[in-house]
Amino acid sequence: MLAEFLGTFVLILIGCGSVAVAVVGLSGSGRQTGDFGPSNWLIISWGWGLAVVFGVYVAGGISGAHINPAVTLGFAVRGHFPWRKVLPYWGAQLVGAFVAASVVYATYHWAIDAFNAKEGTGREKSLPTFSIFATFPAEYFGNSWWGPLLDQIVGTAFLLLLVCALIDMRNTAPQSNMGPFLIGLVVVAIGLTYGTNAGYAINPARDFGPRLFTFFEGWGSIALPGSFDWFSGYWWIPIVGPLIGGVIGALVYEHFISRVITARGEVHPEGRAGEAE
């Protein structure tokens, strides 16, 4: 549990920190002389990818470094992780995300307050500073819940499908402890291909832990229930969508690839992250 807590803590510390740099850090520090525009999205995409890399390296040898409730559930549904550990893992991941969000806030609250003062808005109306911590749907979705939910299902299914492939030593899994780095690249790829739809939470703890923190720190209804000008009651979508997508991605790999490898008589074990201990 400590390993899952710490791995998720590292994930959020680096990931949310990268968003803070893009949203309030560069513009408020004097280090950005002009609007980066789309380049800011590259900071965020690579920041979250590297966050996954180092979160997995921190916790992988102890807990398998799920650092994501959708990963834990997907492995359990495949039969590669014991069900009795699912809720404890979820709890550790959620607490790690909440605590990390508090540290990001502690180091960036001056920049956040300066940004809001310049914009002339309070936290309860500041969607940009809220986005440092948690996600929201693109304006083109309107108040529809189906589009963002589908986005989260697809993005997380993509994540789990590739995670299962990258840790399966019977397949073409990477060697020499390169797995965490390539899993991080999967997250970069998701950010660059689906990220603008709904912020690519693809991780219930990653979204809800910081979201809960922002609720207590004054972002109010933007955080919970997750309402703003064009969306309302959004908080559940980055939880339910990834859990559904995680199961789908894990089962697709199980039925399309893993069972074929098993039928061929391959006996090499899958990587530690999928072990049932």
Side-chain angles (χ1 to χ4, degrees):
M1 298 308 100
L2 289 174
E4 280 298 298
F5 167 88
L6 188 59
T8 311
F9 178 90
V10 170
L11 168 70
I12 301 303
L13 195 69
I14 298 175
C16 287
S18 72
V19 185
V21 166
V23 175
V24 299
L26 285 172
S27 61
S29 67
R31 292 177 173 83
Q32 178 177 311
T33 57
D35 187 4
F36 275 20
S39 297
N40 278 14
W41 193 251
L42 293 177
I43 294 173
I44 293 168
S45 295
W46 280 100
W48 278 108
L50 292 172
V52 170
V53 170
F54 295 115
V56 174
Y57 274 127
V58 164
I62 305 301
S63 67
H66 297 186
I67 61 176
N68 182 342
V71 172
T72 303
L73 181 61
F75 287 159
V77 169
R78 284 188 69 198
H80 289 254
F81 189 73
W83 282 100
R84 72 180 187 278
K85 292 186 178 182
V86 169
L87 289 181
Y89 265 50
W90 285 5
Q93 292 154 0
L94 180 61
V95 174
F98 183 94
V99 174
S102 71
V103 175
V104 173
Y105 173 79
T107 55
Y108 272 103
H109 73 86
W110 293 277
I112 289 170
D113 291 343
F115 180 92
N116 287 339
K118 184 177 180 180
E119 296 292 314
T121 59
R123 289 183 185 177
E124 71 281 357
K125 297 292 183 181
S126 180
L127 189 62
T129 55
F130 169 76
S131 72
I132 293 171
F133 300 95
T135 65
F136 63 91
E139 192 168 359
Y140 46 71
F141 286 122
N143 197 32
S144 168
W145 59 265
W146 170 238
L149 181 65
L150 177 62
D151 170 81
Q152 288 299 289
I153 292 172
V154 170
T156 315
F158 180 29
L159 173 67
L160 262 291
L161 172 65
L162 294 180
V163 166
C164 289
L166 288 170
I167 66 170
D168 191 346
M169 302 305 294
R170 306 168 305 164
N171 201 343
T172 54
Q175 303 295 316
S176 301
N177 293 324
M178 285 294 292
F181 180 75
L182 293 177
I183 291 171
L185 288 184
V186 171
V187 174
V188 174
I190 294 171
L192 294 178
T193 53
Y194 292 95
T196 55
N197 271 339
Y200 71 113
I202 57 174
N203 181 337
R206 169 267 175 275
D207 187 85
F208 190 70
R211 181 180 296 272
L212 192 60
F213 175 80
T214 57
F215 175 75
F216 291 128
E217 281 297 330
W219 277 268
S221 62
I222 299 179
L224 291 171
S227 299
F228 194 64
D229 292 348
W230 66 86
F231 59 91
S232 61
Y234 183 76
W235 69 273
W236 62 273
I237 291 177
I239 297 175
V240 174
L243 292 177
I244 295 173
V247 170
I248 292 173
L251 290 180
V252 165
Y253 186 82
E254 178 68 23
H255 289 281
F256 280 68
I257 304 296
S258 183
R259 292 192 178 186
V260 176
I261 296 173
T262 300
R264 288 177 172 179
E266 299 288 345
V267 296
H268 301 297
E270 293 199 43
R272 182 173 175 79
E275 285 183 0
E277 295 182 343

